[in-house]
């Protein structure tokens, strides 16, 4: 076996073993992690990261502007996101996110939803306890349809 071929197989085996530790799978700006005890994902691209995490995991996610995070069927989902982000948390016991200016968030069928907005944001929170704080520390404004839809806003109109 040539040295190059042996190096290839050693690298392939090491890569396979690394995947067994529960590391997320990332393909460019898209990352996914499921069926693990803990998923910690720090998106390395500055804009447009797309992260999916779920199925029994505890998700800890950090990403920049214009990123999308989807947590489903997990015990906990914690995210720190930039401007223009889109956070979705469904069928999760504890959803916690800090989002940037112009972000949106959806918490659905959750135990608790705790969103901190660094600027203007819109949060839809249904079927669970919701705690939405604006950048100035005040509670988010409930929209007129809030009793029906659970829509809250910071720094913008409903």
């Amino acid at each position: 076996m040539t040295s190059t071929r042996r190096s290839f197989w050693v690298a392939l085996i090491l890569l396979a073993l690394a995947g067994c530790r529960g590391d997320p799978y990332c393909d460019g700006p898209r990352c996914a992690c499921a069926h693990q005890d803990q998923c910690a994902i720090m998106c390395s691209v500055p804009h447009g990261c797309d992260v999916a995490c779920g199925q029994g995991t505890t998700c800890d996610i950090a990403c920049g502007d214009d990123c999308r995070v989807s947590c489903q069927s997990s015990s906990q989902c914690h995210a720190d996101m930039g401007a223009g982000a889109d956070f979705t948390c469904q069928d999760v016991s504890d959803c916690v996110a800090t989002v940037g200016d112009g972000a949106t968030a959806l918490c659905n069928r959750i135990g608790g939803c705790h969103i901190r907005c660094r600027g203007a944001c819109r949060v839809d929170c249904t079927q669970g306890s919701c705690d939405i704080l604006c950048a100035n520390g005040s509670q988010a404004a409930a929209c007129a349809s809030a009793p029906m839809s659970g829509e809250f806003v910071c720094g913008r109109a409903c």
Side-chain angles (χ1 to χ4, degrees):
M1 186 180 284
T2 68
S3 176
T4 304
R5 182 180 263 170
R6 187 177 349 195
S7 296
F8 169 77
W9 285 107
V10 169
L12 187 61
I13 290 169
L14 289 174
L15 183 61
L17 290 175
C20 294
R21 290 194 318 247
D23 294 337
Y25 168 78
C26 292
D27 178 16
R30 292 181 175 83
C31 292
C33 189
H35 306 290
Q36 305 295 327
D37 291 335
Q38 174 102 21
C39 290
I41 300 171
M42 178 175 273
C43 200
S44 59
V45 296
H47 300 284
C49 193
D50 191 357
V51 179
C53 191
Q55 286 77 37
T57 59
T58 295
C59 306
D60 290 307
I61 301 162
C63 62
D65 295 345
D66 301 316
C67 69
R68 292 165 301 287
V69 169
S70 175
C71 293
Q72 294 187 347
S73 304
S74 300
S75 59
Q76 296 180 356
C77 181
H78 300 157
D80 188 357
M81 306 168 71
D86 182 18
F87 177 71
T88 301
C89 194
Q90 296 188 98
D91 300 313
V92 175
S93 297
D94 186 37
C95 303
V96 178
T98 300
V99 298
D101 189 43
T104 60
L106 168 66
C107 294
N108 188 29
R109 297 182 308 269
I110 44 86
C113 179
H114 310 279
I115 306 289
R116 305 296 176 260
C117 299
R118 289 191 194 109
C121 71
R122 188 190 88 235
V123 178
D124 290 306
C125 189
T126 60
Q127 298 177 340
S129 171
C130 302
D131 175 31
I132 318 300
L133 287 181
C134 300
N136 64 4
S138 66
Q139 290 289 323
C143 294
S145 60
M148 299 300 287
S149 72
E151 184 178 5
F152 299 87
V153 294
C154 287
R156 63 182 273 185
C158 289

